[in-house]
Amino acid sequence: MNQYGHVSVLLDECIEGLNIDPDGIYVDGTTGMGGHSEAIASRLNNGRLICIDRDSYALERAGERLKPFADKITFVKGNFSDTFAILERLGIEQVNGMLFDLGVSSPQLDIAERGFSYMNDAALDMRMDQTAALSAYEIVNSWPEERLQRILWDYGEEKFARKIVAGIIAERKLHPIASTGELVEIIRKSVPASALREKQHPAKRTFQAIRIAVNDELNSVSEMMETAPDKLCKGGRLCVISFHSLEDRIVKNSIARRENGCTCPREVPICVCGFKQTLRSVSRKPILPSKEEEEANPRARSAKLRVAEHI
């Protein structure tokens, strides 16, 4: 852990994957505390780095960290799903590389009042962009039972979704559920005793699901993968770090559609569907953290890095 309270996941692997041109233009679409950005900027001569994040606090902290490289960096407050539009607005036609780290940054988890963590009691929030209207409070206290069950099952793969949502519905009939601590207690009371003995915290999957819903994360990933690669120059690299299977599946399938998207029947001798390959996987399998990194930074354990090159 460094002075900025964050350890960048798969840092060396990302830098290798980006294959940095010192005079190129790069995008860090999820700047966070600026660890990946610092490693990119330090390798630039006449190049440029566009740092995007929807969390104002993250951009402020990253700005402090990246002051030595201020002449090479443009900071933009925005969602990484809007990368294509942001680059258009900046008048940038093509870039040499893009990096997206889809995880929650350590300060977001560790600053209790942000409401991301089940380890601290705080107001139910979980907004990455604190100016956004939707928070965890609204989801927990106003979304209908079936919708809550669906997000816990789909986004958290929570096998006790029905029991947990039943507990939430019963509690919110008595009073609003206002804090993370209250939600954790409801979860503890709702799941069977065997779940409480598991190594994983019983609230982990529920909190993950609600966070994804609050920040519309999966749609953001889909939109980014649909549009952002079109801004890569020939030979430009796309690096995406995901932390759960739903994100990774979107990234994997999106790359596959651009790599092997021909829909012609196998017996047709030449392609007639109009498919044109635009991406090539640099590594067929996702790149995983080393055992040493997992031991040094437990939050890296579920990380998967996929790298693709524009052709």
Side-chain angles (χ1 to χ4, degrees):
M1 188 76 67
N2 55 43
Q3 63 176 310
Y4 298 96
H6 181 67
V7 178
S8 298
V9 173
L10 290 164
L11 179 60
D12 293 338
E13 293 83 351
C14 286
I15 297 304
E16 181 179 350
L18 286 171
N19 192 27
I20 293 173
D21 175 354
D23 299 323
I25 302 175
Y26 291 85
V27 172
D28 186 346
T30 46
T31 302
M33 294 295 101
H36 289 111
S37 291
E38 183 178 48
I40 296 169
S42 67
R43 289 164 170 79
L44 298 179
N45 293 332
N46 297 315
R48 186 133 202 95
L49 174 62
I50 313 302
C51 289
I52 303 170
D53 206 292
R54 55 177 161 175
D55 187 335
S56 297
Y57 175 78
L59 284 179
E60 181 182 333
R61 293 293 302 279
E64 295 173 6
R65 180 175 190 165
L66 299 170
K67 277 182 181 178
F69 312 103
D71 59 330
K72 303 175 183 178
I73 297 176
T74 299
F75 290 96
V76 180
K77 185 177 187 297
N79 193 324
F80 64 82
S81 64
D82 298 323
T83 296
F84 186 97
I86 289 169
L87 293 174
E88 285 279 292
R89 194 164 67 241
L90 294 174
I92 298 173
E93 293 185 7
Q94 291 185 320
V95 300
N96 299 78
M98 298 178 175
L99 170 64
F100 300 94
D101 177 350
L102 306 180
V104 181
S105 69
S106 294
Q108 286 173 332
L109 288 169
D110 295 339
I111 298 174
E113 56 264 32
R114 297 298 298 271
F116 283 96
S117 176
Y118 43 78
M119 301 301 291
N120 300 296
D121 190 19
L124 271 176
D125 194 332
M126 302 192 197
R127 292 174 297 171
M128 291 183 178
D129 178 356
Q130 293 189 288
T131 66
L134 183 66
S135 72
Y137 179 92
E138 280 71 38
I139 288 177
V140 169
N141 287 288
S142 65
W143 279 21
E145 185 171 3
E146 288 187 4
R147 194 176 182 188
L148 281 174
Q149 285 181 7
R150 189 167 66 250
I151 67 166
L152 261 61
W153 179 254
D154 290 347
Y155 298 167
E157 298 175 314
E158 174 54 74
K159 58 186 175 182
F160 302 116
R162 286 180 180 272
K163 293 179 180 293
I164 292 170
V165 172
I168 289 172
I169 299 298
E171 191 72 17
R172 77 187 193 185
K173 285 180 179 178
L174 302 176
H175 60 83
I177 301 165
S179 74
T180 55
E182 289 177 71
L183 181 56
V184 168
E185 189 58 29
I186 292 168
I187 295 167
R188 287 187 180 279
K189 290 178 180 178
S190 301
V191 301
S194 59
L196 300 178
R197 293 193 294 269
E198 291 180 2
K199 186 175 181 180
Q200 180 172 276
H201 194 287
K204 181 178 180 179
R205 290 183 289 265
T206 297
F207 271 62
Q208 171 185 292
I210 294 172
R211 188 203 78 224
I212 289 173
V214 167
N215 298 290
D216 198 22
E217 292 178 28
L218 297 184
N219 281 333
S220 292
V221 175
S222 296
E223 290 169 16
M224 177 270 289
M225 290 300 299
E226 183 68 26
T227 60
D230 292 328
K231 278 292 184 180
L232 287 169
C233 66
K234 186 175 182 179
R237 295 286 186 88
L238 171 69
C239 295
V240 185
I241 305 171
S242 60
F243 288 83
H244 58 76
S245 59
L246 295 173
E247 293 171 339
D248 181 59
R249 193 177 305 134
I250 293 170
V251 176
K252 177 184 177 181
N253 291 342
S254 296
I255 292 173
R257 281 194 296 272
R258 288 173 174 264
E259 185 171 20
N260 306 301
C262 178
T263 58
C264 294
R266 189 170 296 177
E267 61 270 17
V268 175
I270 61 171
C271 176
V272 294
C273 71
F275 170 72
K276 181 180 179 182
Q277 183 181 1
T278 54
L279 288 181
R280 176 186 65 85
S281 296
V282 173
S283 173
R284 287 295 168 186
K285 293 185 177 181
I287 299 166
L288 307 178
S290 65
K291 289 184 179 180
E292 291 76 16
E293 180 172 5
E294 289 182 1
E295 290 173 0
N297 180 18
R299 288 175 179 170
R301 286 175 184 163
S302 58
K304 292 181 179 180
L305 169 64
R306 292 191 184 270
V307 183
E309 181 175 275
H310 197 282
I311 61 172

